[in-house]
Amino acid sequence: MTLDLALFVVLASVIAASAIGVVVAHTIVRSAVFLLFTLIGVAFLYFLIGAEFLGAAQLIVYVGGTLVLLVFGGMLTSGGPFQTLRVRRLEWLFGGFVALAIFAALAQVSLALGQRPTTDAPLPPGAGPLGVAFLTSHLLPFEIVSVHLLVVLVGAAYLARTRKRAALGSEDSASRRNGGTP
Amino acid sequence: MIPLSYILILSAFLFACGVLCIATKRNAIGILMGVELVLNAANINFVAFARYVPGFQMDGQVFAVMVIVLAAAEAAVALAIILNFYNNRNTVDVDEANQLRG
Amino acid sequence: MLSTLDQYLPHAVAIVVAAGVAALVVFAFIGAAAFLFIWGERKVSGRIQDRLGPTRVGKFGLLQSLADGIKLVTKEDFVPAGSDKFLFRIAPFVAFCAAFTGFIALPFAQGVVAQPLNVGAFFVLAVLSSEVFGVLLAGYSSANKWSLFGGVREAAQVVSYEIPRSLCVLVPVCIAGTLNLNTIATQQEGFFWNWYVFHDPFTFVAFFVFFIVATASCKRAPFDLAEAESELVAGFLTEYSGMRWSYFFLAEYASMFAMSALASILFLGGWHSGLLPFEPATAFGAILGNLVDVGVFILKGSALVVVMMWMRWSLPRLRIDQVMSTCLEYFVPISCGLLVGVCVWQLYVPSAVAEGTKYVLAFGSLAFAAITLVAAAKTRPTPQHSGAFAKP
């Protein structure tokens, strides 16, 4: 058993265990903490495979951005402190059956794919070639994604504002002008 | 060297967990977490193929970066919608979102 | 080190041993740094407030942190009833691990780094930004309104300040053309006008913006809204005591040093003293030269940490809405402008002008610093300002 394989086994068990934790956790913030461990594990898996840029991107975008947003949302929308999530037993049975079927199908495909000869190709290209690729051979998706991000930015800001915001905003700026605390 | 099929099985497991999460959770944010798990499973596959299939090295990484960016965008919009729903109905239980039933 | 170990051990074992040694060295460094910084913070705050600071334990009160440590270890490890006990217990470790992992990719001298990464700058930023999770979890799991407010404020603040921080890091990265911290520092070899802070006006401004934003993302005063003790008791720390509380402090001082070290690598020439036209590691031999380099690097990082302390005890705390509007209305547009400006400068400014700007900026700042120091040395405290020690 080589070192790579041993590290992979450790990482994979951490990822799998915390993925189960996400599903069975009782409160939404605990789910988010297990998701945090899953995402960090996946980031280190990328480092192990040799895709350094993707590992760092996973850390900064998912862990530093998306997951903080999710926890933030979970805190803002929970009715009370430590509100528990209830799941009916029938739903567990049915959902578990579907998930097991999907896992079995995918695992069979994966094993079949693993039989094919793969070459131990050199490490995937780093940040530099990736950036060049984004501006030359993959320019169109890059531009589409950037426009899409702008649309998302405007759309999310538009959706999340409340109806009363206009009145509140003017009140707030008025109090700021008067030097008072809002 | 890690065999390719091990990584693929790990990603299959993550995918199944994500589907189970989407199926069982009623909290909209819990469902969003399931979606993140599913997207991560897909991403692991892209990176694994980028590592082991010589012709796919650049494309695999580009796909993975796109998925990460789009997942972040999706989370932002979904959270905005969830907060809006919470403002209107005072809950994030997706079973309560039945206004279009008529 | 890996190659030396390889001669005696099987390759896999050698890698594990080398990793363990690197982790131990980093851990010991963080512990020693926090030990001295806590003492330094008390001394700095004391002098600024016209007090002496700690004097009793050891020479100049140097062992004060040790006494504090013993006190903290012997305190009861308290978990409030009604809290989420699992999250309450792991929150300090999440914060500490994030700060600790940041050190893995920081080069202390040419090649003296726990794990060389091609995306080092990106990695350090990514890891340090996940420290917010510890604070957020601590605030949530304490089941206390003050803690929750502290945690939520911290989340909002850090997520916003991450944007100008990353953009400011991109400014020197644009000049260097790499994300590898080792290469970035090597490019600034030689006299101090080769440092990227003096490269052009945009990097000069970017350094100050980065430093302020880094202070905010380490939740240091004047941006310490998460534990604002005049509003929120102690914010997210309210329910913590003993060792778990001190882990948060270790994480805070570790991330302060990591941020300062990152600033000194990106802008201030890393381990180059700026006074020698050659690289010490090649001139003095590997061991002595690297020791000089590591010393210079730690000195630079610590100097920036002391500036952070100076800011903390000199400036009043901002309100939360002021913190957010400072970031979103000023720092984000400024750092976007800096990034565009540095690209335009690289492309269109003739090299003679660029060289001239470098010397003007370097010697201008030197002259400004000298004038300020002389003026400060000439100032004598007037009786009404000298406070407690003034003779009647």
Side-chain angles (χ1 to χ4, degrees):
Chain A
M1 198 179 198
T2 61
L3 185 69
D4 269 4
L5 199 57
L7 281 176
F8 174 77
V9 169
V10 171
L11 263 181
S13 39
V14 169
I15 294 173
S18 40
I20 294 174
V22 175
V23 179
V24 300
H26 286 300
T27 64
I28 201 74
V29 176
R30 274 202 191 191
S31 261
V33 173
F34 284 117
L35 188 60
L36 167 77
F37 292 143
T38 314
L39 295 178
I40 291 179
V42 171
F44 282 102
L45 180 66
Y46 293 162
F47 278 108
L48 187 66
I49 298 180
E52 288 182 346
F53 181 77
L54 277 172
Q58 166 104 0
L59 274 180
I60 203 165
V61 177
Y62 264 119
V63 178
T66 311
L67 204 50
V68 174
L69 272 186
L70 280 181
V71 176
F72 209 67
M75 284 178 176
L76 280 179
T77 56
S78 74
F82 310 130
Q83 204 180 34
T84 52
L85 310 164
R86 281 182 306 277
V87 182
R88 287 194 211 104
R89 187 159 300 159
L90 191 66
E91 287 173 347
W92 273 125
L93 273 176
F94 189 67
F97 177 71
V98 171
L100 260 183
I102 289 178
F103 178 64
L106 284 177
Q108 203 185 5
V109 175
S110 318
L111 283 176
L113 268 176
Q115 298 301 318
R116 282 204 197 161
T118 50
T119 51
D120 190 9
L123 287 180
L130 199 59
V132 172
F134 268 124
L135 291 180
T136 53
S137 55
H138 297 80
L139 183 61
L140 185 64
F142 181 71
E143 289 298 327
I144 291 175
V145 156
S146 46
V147 173
H148 177 266
L149 274 182
L150 181 68
V151 172
V152 163
L153 190 70
V154 175
Y158 176 76
L159 279 175
R161 70 162 174 56
T162 50
R163 292 286 178 284
K164 299 171 210 152
R165 180 57 58 86
L168 268 180
S170 62
E171 211 172 84
D172 186 37
S173 58
S175 73
R176 206 182 298 162
R177 238 176 283 128
N178 297 337
T181 48
Chain B
M1 173 179 169
I2 312 157
L4 175 61
S5 53
Y6 288 17
I7 304 179
L8 296 187
I9 287 178
L10 174 68
S11 102
F13 185 79
L14 269 190
F15 188 88
C17 277
V19 169
L20 186 57
C21 195
I22 296 172
T24 55
K25 293 235 151 102
R26 288 236 181 67
N27 189 319
I29 293 173
I31 293 175
L32 208 54
M33 287 181 194
V35 174
E36 301 290 337
L37 276 182
V38 168
L39 289 172
N40 257 283
N43 241 351
I44 292 179
N45 269 10
F46 278 128
V47 178
F49 286 130
R51 175 77 174 83
Y52 292 106
V53 181
F56 194 58
Q57 288 208 319
M58 198 56 88
D59 297 332
Q61 293 203 62
V62 169
F63 264 116
V65 171
M66 296 288 166
V67 170
I68 289 178
V69 171
L70 292 183
E74 165 252 316
V77 172
L79 264 181
I81 293 173
I82 291 170
L83 285 184
N84 226 357
F85 180 61
Y86 183 75
N87 280 340
N88 288 331
R89 308 292 295 263
N90 220 12
T91 177
V92 284
D93 192 334
V94 285
D95 287 353
E96 298 287 316
N98 53 9
Q99 267 181 323
L100 287 183
R101 190 191 277 161
Chain C
M1 187 170 74
L2 189 57
S3 49
T4 332
L5 280 173
D6 254 349
Q7 296 165 1
Y8 306 105
L9 294 167
H11 187 64
V13 181
I15 290 179
V16 172
V17 170
V21 171
L24 262 182
V25 169
V26 170
F27 191 79
F29 176 76
I30 293 178
F35 190 91
L36 286 176
F37 284 151
I38 289 174
W39 171 79
E41 173 116 51
R42 297 177 136 215
K43 276 291 189 193
V44 169
S45 68
R47 292 296 172 167
I48 287 177
Q49 295 167 349
D50 219 345
R51 299 184 282 116
L52 289 175
T55 52
R56 293 296 177 98
V57 196
K59 190 88 176 155
F60 308 120
L62 257 174
L63 295 178
Q64 183 67 39
S65 310
L66 187 66
D68 281 352
I70 293 170
K71 182 194 81 179
L72 286 172
V73 172
T74 51
K75 269 193 172 180
E76 185 192 355
D77 184 19
F78 178 74
V79 179
S83 65
D84 190 330
K85 296 196 171 51
F86 169 67
L87 295 184
F88 188 85
R89 289 214 171 91
I90 65 163
F93 299 109
V94 172
F96 179 72
C97 285
F100 176 77
T101 317
F103 278 82
I104 286 179
L106 272 185
F108 279 66
Q110 176 79 48
V112 183
V113 50
Q115 172 64 44
L117 280 179
N118 282 326
V119 290
F122 199 17
F123 179 80
V124 173
L125 276 186
V127 166
L128 286 181
S129 71
S130 47
E131 194 193 335
V132 54
F133 248 90
V135 176
L136 195 53
L137 290 183
Y140 170 79
S141 63
S142 300
N144 174 330
K145 278 179 189 150
W146 306 125
S147 306
L148 187 62
F149 267 118
V152 171
R153 278 180 173 190
E154 166 81 0
Q157 180 184 334
V158 169
V159 169
S160 324
Y161 273 88
E162 208 168 290
I163 303 164
R165 192 175 63 166
S166 313
L167 287 175
C168 285
V169 166
L170 278 183
V171 170
V173 166
C174 259
I175 301 169
T178 174
L179 284 166
N180 190 332
L181 288 174
N182 210 342
T183 321
I184 292 178
T186 316
Q187 286 171 357
Q188 306 173 54
E189 192 185 319
F191 286 113
F192 62 91
W193 49 80
N194 287 335
W195 293 356
Y196 280 151
V197 64
F198 301 128
H199 185 273
D200 56 60
F202 299 105
T203 48
F204 191 71
V205 180
F207 170 66
F208 295 103
V209 174
F210 176 77
F211 192 68
I212 296 169
V213 171
T215 314
S217 59
C218 293
K219 59 183 183 303
R220 291 285 297 180
F223 302 100
D224 61 341
L225 271 297
E227 48 170 309
E229 69 270 4
S230 55
E231 309 159 29
L232 297 182
V233 189
F236 67 99
L237 289 170
T238 307
E239 302 288 354
Y240 279 89
S241 66
M243 272 319 276
R244 289 182 203 282
W245 181 83
S246 62
Y247 274 116
F248 277 115
F249 256 69
L250 269 182
E252 180 175 336
Y253 282 96
S255 67
M256 271 165 77
F257 185 82
M259 270 297 158
S260 308
L262 189 64
S264 76
I265 290 174
L266 290 173
F267 293 100
L268 299 181
W271 53 83
H272 300 294
S273 59
L275 304 171
L276 301 170
F278 53 85
E279 163 73 48
T282 50
F284 301 156
I287 293 177
L288 185 65
N290 272 333
L291 272 182
V292 172
D293 281 351
V294 171
V296 169
F297 183 73
I298 291 176
L299 212 66
K300 273 184 191 172
S302 311
L304 289 180
V305 170
V306 171
V307 175
M308 279 190 185
M309 292 172 184
W310 183 14
M311 277 164 67
R312 170 174 178 179
W313 296 102
S314 310
L315 297 173
R317 181 181 302 121
L318 274 71
R319 245 178 17 228
I320 182 70
D321 60 319
Q322 291 169 334
V323 169
M324 299 307 281
S325 64
T326 316
C327 174
L328 297 175
E329 287 170 17
Y330 297 98
F331 285 142
V332 171
I334 288 176
S335 48
C336 285
L338 289 173
L339 186 58
V340 174
V342 82
C343 294
V344 172
W345 183 278
Q346 287 281 91
L347 286 177
Y348 294 115
V349 171
S351 62
V353 179
E355 283 290 308
T357 319
K358 213 153 94 176
Y359 293 118
V360 169
L361 276 174
F363 287 104
S365 333
L366 201 65
F368 180 74
I371 291 170
T372 316
L373 274 180
V374 170
K378 272 189 182 164
T379 312
R380 290 271 163 268
T382 49
Q384 65 267 36
H385 289 142
S386 69
F389 294 113
K391 292 211 175 73

